[in-house]
C-alpha cells in the first residue's frame, strides 16, 4: 500500500517543510504538484524527484490551464502538459493527475465536448511515453467550476480508457454519493485524494476536520478498491503544520495496518 503526500500544500510556503515529514516517514510517496510559474519551486521540486527512490506521481499544473478549450501546439495548456510529460519521463513517473477543466462554467455542452477531445489528444501524447493520464473529479458547485456532475463524470470516465483519481473532498463538497461513485468506477480507480471540508467549500482540510465521514470512506475503500493509492492533498496553509499532517499519515497507516491484520 502506498501513502502519498502532495506538494500542493507547499506551493506558497516553499518545499522546506516537507523534509521533516520525509525523514520521519521513509515509505511516504510524493505527488509532485507542478507550478511552472514559480521557477524556484519547480527547481526544488525536480531536485526532490531526482534525489529520491520514493514512489512518485505527478499533478499537472492547473494555474492558467484549462482543457475544456481546444488547444493547438502554441496553447499554454498544451505546453504545460508537454512539460509534465518531459518531467515524468526524466523522473521515471508513470502517472499524471489531470483536470478536465478549471475555469467557471459558461457553455457546458461545448466545454464537455472540448474536454473529451482534449483528453483523447493528450492521452495519445502520454501513451507514446508509457505514461497514464488520470482523470480527476474536479470543480465544486460553490465555485461554479464543476463541469461534470456525478452521473456525467461516471459516464465520461467509462467512455474513456483512462484510469481515474477520485478526490473525496470534491465528492463531499458537491453532495455526490461516494458509494455510488466508487462502485460505478471500481476497477478504473487507481488513486484517491484525501482531505475534508464543510460539505460546500473546497477547503482541503485534515481528514477529520469536516463533514465527510472518513471512517465510512475507508469501509468503501477496503471493500471496493483496496489496491488504490492514497494521496493526502491539503490547502496552502496546512503545509506549515507538519504535526497535523503527521497525525493524518499515522491515521491512514493505522487504518491500512488494522485491515491487514
Amino acid at each position: 500500500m502506498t501513502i502519498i503526500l502532495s506538494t500542493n500544500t507547499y506551493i506558497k510556503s516553499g518545499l522546506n517543510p516537507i523534509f521533516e515529514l520525509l525523514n520521519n516517514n521513509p515509505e511516504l510517496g510524493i505527488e509532485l504538484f507542478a507550478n511552472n510559474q514559480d521557477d524556484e519551486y519547480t527547481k526544488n521540486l525536480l531536485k526532490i524527484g531526482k534525489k529520491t527512490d520514493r514512489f512518485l506521481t505527478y499533478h499537472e499544473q492547473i494555474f492558467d490551464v484549462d482543457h475544456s478549450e481546444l488547444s493547438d501546439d502554441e496553447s499554454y495548456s498544451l505546453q504545460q502538459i508537454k512539460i509534465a510529460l518531459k518531467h515524468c519521463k526524466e523522473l521515471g513517473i508513470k502517472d499524471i493527475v489531470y483536470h478536465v477543466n478549471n475555469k467557471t462554467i459558461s457553455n457546458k455542452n461545448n466545454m464537455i465536448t472540448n474536454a473529451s477531445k482534449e483528453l483523447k489528444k493528450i492521452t495519445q501524447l502520454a501513451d507514446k511515453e508509457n505514461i497514464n493520464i488520470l482523470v480527476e473529479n474536479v470543480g465544486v458547485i460553490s465555485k461554479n467550476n464543476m463541469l461534470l456532475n456525478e452521473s456525467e463524470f461516471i459516464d465520461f470516465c467509462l467512455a474513456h480508457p483512462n484510469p481515474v483519481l477520485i478526490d473525496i473532498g470534491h465528492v463531499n463538497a458537491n453532495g455526490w454519493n461516494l458509494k455510488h461513485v466508487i462502485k460505478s468506477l471500481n476497477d478504473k480507480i487507481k488513486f484517491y485524494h484525501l482531505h475534508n471540508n464543510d460539505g460546500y467549500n473546497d477547503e482541503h482540510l485534515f481528514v477529520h476536520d469536516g463533514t465527510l465521514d472518513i471512517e465510512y470512506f475507508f469501509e468503501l475503500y477496503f471493500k471496493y478498491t483496496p489496491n488504490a493509492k492514497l494521496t493526502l492533498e491539503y490547502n496552502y496553509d496546512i503545509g506549515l503544520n507538519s504535526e497535523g499532517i503527521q497525525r493524518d499519515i499515522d491515521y491512514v497507516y493505522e487504518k491500512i495496518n488494522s485491515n491487514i491484520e
Side-chain angles (χ1 to χ4, degrees):
M1 175 55 57
T2 302
I3 301 173
I4 303 162
L5 176 62
S6 175
T7 63
N8 177 69
T9 193
Y10 303 109
I11 280 178
K12 285 190 177 180
S13 69
L15 288 159
N16 284 339
I18 199 175
F19 292 106
E20 178 184 358
L21 288 164
L22 295 179
N23 288 335
N24 292 336
N25 301 276
E27 296 183 357
L28 187 68
I30 310 170
E31 179 188 80
L32 303 177
F33 198 109
N35 179 15
N36 297 309
Q37 296 177 344
D38 184 331
D39 291 341
E40 186 66 17
Y41 170 87
T42 300
K43 174 184 174 183
N44 291 329
L45 190 73
L46 296 178
K47 186 183 295 184
I48 289 175
K50 290 174 182 177
K51 290 187 174 182
T52 188
D53 58 359
R54 296 171 188 266
F55 180 84
L56 298 176
T57 63
Y58 194 97
H59 196 303
E60 68 157 335
Q61 178 171 309
I62 62 173
F63 312 110
D64 297 325
V65 168
D66 199 280
H67 299 300
S68 63
E69 298 176 345
L70 293 180
S71 66
D72 55 36
D73 288 341
E74 303 301 318
S75 75
Y76 185 75
S77 295
L78 189 58
Q79 287 174 3
Q80 291 306 309
I81 278 292
K82 289 181 176 178
I83 291 172
L85 291 170
K86 177 176 179 289
H87 288 167
C88 287
K89 187 175 181 181
E90 291 173 353
L91 299 173
I93 297 173
K94 294 301 182 184
D95 302 287
I96 296 177
V97 183
Y98 179 86
H99 285 197
V100 297
N101 75 291
N102 292 306
K103 68 179 183 180
T104 56
I105 310 307
S106 51
N107 185 330
K108 176 171 175 166
N109 290 336
N110 189 54
M111 289 175 68
I112 292 174
T113 298
N114 291 346
S116 183
K117 291 179 180 178
E118 283 297 288
L119 177 59
K120 290 177 182 177
K121 177 195 296 185
I122 288 165
T123 299
Q124 288 176 349
L125 293 175
D127 284 346
K128 294 177 182 178
E129 306 296 343
N130 196 28
I131 294 171
N132 299 313
I133 299 295
L134 297 163
V135 178
E136 178 182 356
N137 57 308
V138 294
V140 289
I141 294 170
S142 62
K143 293 183 178 179
N144 191 31
N145 63 353
M146 185 188 73
L147 178 60
L148 302 168
N149 64 29
E150 180 178 337
S151 61
E152 290 167 340
F153 177 75
I154 291 169
D155 290 344
F156 186 91
C157 291
L158 292 176
H160 293 83
N162 305 74
V164 173
L165 180 148
I166 295 298
D167 186 304
I168 66 173
H170 297 164
V171 168
N172 191 58
N174 290 323
W176 291 9
N177 184 316
L178 184 61
K179 182 177 181 179
H180 180 243
V181 172
I182 292 175
K183 283 186 66 177
S184 298
L185 294 174
N186 204 333
D187 292 341
K188 290 181 72 72
I189 300 173
K190 304 304 180 184
F191 288 78
Y192 288 92
H193 277 164
L194 307 186
H195 54 93
N196 214 322
N197 55 56
D198 62 3
Y200 182 70
N201 297 294
D202 188 21
E203 297 169 298
H204 285 253
L205 304 176
F206 292 121
V207 297
H208 289 97
D209 292 353
T211 62
L212 185 148
D213 185 343
I214 192 68
E215 290 289 324
Y216 178 60
F217 161 72
F218 274 106
E219 289 178 20
L220 299 173
Y221 171 79
F222 288 122
K223 183 174 182 179
Y224 296 108
T225 57
N227 296 316
K229 296 176 174 61
L230 302 168
T231 303
L232 295 164
E233 186 189 55
Y234 302 113
N235 66 46
Y236 300 149
D237 296 324
I238 282 179
L240 298 174
N241 188 346
S242 294
E243 183 178 342
I245 295 175
Q246 185 63 59
R247 282 197 300 270
D248 275 2
I249 292 171
D250 291 342
Y251 167 75
V252 177
Y253 274 127
E254 180 184 342
K255 295 301 294 184
I256 292 170
N257 291 334
S258 63
N259 184 72
I260 293 174
E261 294 170 0

